[in-house]
Amino acid sequence: MHCTTCGAELEHPGQGHTCRSSTPPPAVRTAGWNVATWFTVGFAVLFVVAAIAAAVFSSIASDRARPLPPSDLGAAIGFVLANLILAAAVIGLAVSALIWGRGTRQLAEAHGSSGRFYSRHWGTRVFPACVVASAAIAWLAADRTAPAILFGQAALRTLGAAALIGGMLHSRARVLRLIAHANRVGVGHYSPVAGQDPAWPLSPTPTSEDWNAGQWDPEVQRDIEARRRRNNT
């Protein structure tokens, strides 16, 4: 059963819902949103590379005695540069992710769905949890320069970045499906519902099923079935 005004799918007659306009969604530019998507992916990859490099250089420098020979000095400098790149990647990742989330909400809402439903994906929860866990194991460890601790941190950071990329790309694919579905719906039969995926559009040409009350009213369908059973007994 669908609303006769906006085409939203209803569970029962007279169900309250957000009845949107039948006007097709406006054309929204996605170029900036696509750029923000790939910037976020790029910064996440840079974050992973810097995290692994920091673990490698730190393990090399911590295994040597003092004073530092030239090779150890190079490892120490590499460790400092890797951490600087890591900090820059975190800042860039935060900024690009915020821009991407804002664009995702705007696109989803412009096509009749909830913006938070698409922008707050599972990767936004896994990534900070992994970053906090990597900091916690270093803080609790007796020897922060032990290779197991260093590479454990790198592994957690890599897992968090991979989850962020995967969740964002999954959410991006869902937004693209939402836009494609909205663009396929004919004028006067656009049926998005806030917080849900768009309902199936109504056919612009009435058919025999449109006049069958049992197809859209469960009360009528139950009454028909009850009369059929009484007639058969």
Side-chain angles (χ1 to χ4, degrees):
M1 179 178 57
H2 298 83
C3 173
T4 57
T5 301
C6 68
E9 186 175 0
L10 305 179
E11 296 180 357
H12 56 80
Q15 175 187 348
H17 66 286
T18 304
C19 193
R20 297 301 180 92
S21 171
S22 60
T23 305
V28 181
R29 295 182 179 179
T30 60
W33 177 67
N34 288 326
V35 171
T37 299
W38 300 118
F39 260 92
T40 306
V41 172
F43 278 118
V45 173
L46 182 63
F47 175 83
V48 171
V49 173
I52 296 175
V56 171
F57 286 128
S58 180
S59 64
I60 293 174
S62 62
D63 289 340
R64 306 297 183 182
R66 299 295 186 267
L68 291 175
S71 60
D72 295 340
L73 182 60
I77 294 175
F79 173 73
V80 173
L81 291 177
N83 277 280
L84 290 176
I85 296 174
L86 188 66
V90 170
I91 296 173
L93 188 59
V95 173
S96 59
L98 287 174
I99 295 175
W100 178 86
R102 181 173 178 269
T104 301
R105 288 193 299 272
Q106 290 177 341
L107 283 173
E109 291 171 358
H111 291 83
S113 190
S114 172
R116 292 184 178 181
F117 186 68
Y118 291 89
S119 62
R120 294 186 178 182
H121 53 82
W122 48 274
T124 58
R125 298 176 178 85
V126 177
F127 177 73
C130 289
V131 172
V132 171
S134 68
I137 62 173
W139 184 72
L140 296 174
D143 183 9
R144 298 181 181 179
T145 60
I149 299 299
L150 294 173
F151 288 101
Q153 284 184 295
L156 283 172
R157 291 168 177 173
T158 301
L159 176 63
L164 183 65
I165 293 174
M168 187 185 65
L169 293 180
H170 177 244
S171 184
R172 178 178 182 272
R174 293 170 58 231
V175 171
L176 292 177
R177 286 197 300 268
L178 172 68
I179 295 174
H181 179 80
N183 291 336
R184 285 198 304 268
V185 178
V187 177
H189 296 280
Y190 178 62
S191 58
V193 181
Q196 302 177 6
D197 290 334
W200 291 107
L202 295 178
S203 173
T205 304
T207 63
S208 59
E209 292 185 354
D210 294 331
W211 303 103
N212 185 358
Q215 296 290 333
W216 53 268
D217 193 334
E219 295 291 338
V220 174
Q221 180 65 29
R222 283 193 290 268
D223 182 62
I224 293 173
E225 292 176 355
R227 293 184 181 183
R228 185 182 295 114
R229 287 193 297 268
R230 286 198 300 268
N231 294 332
N232 292 335
T233 57

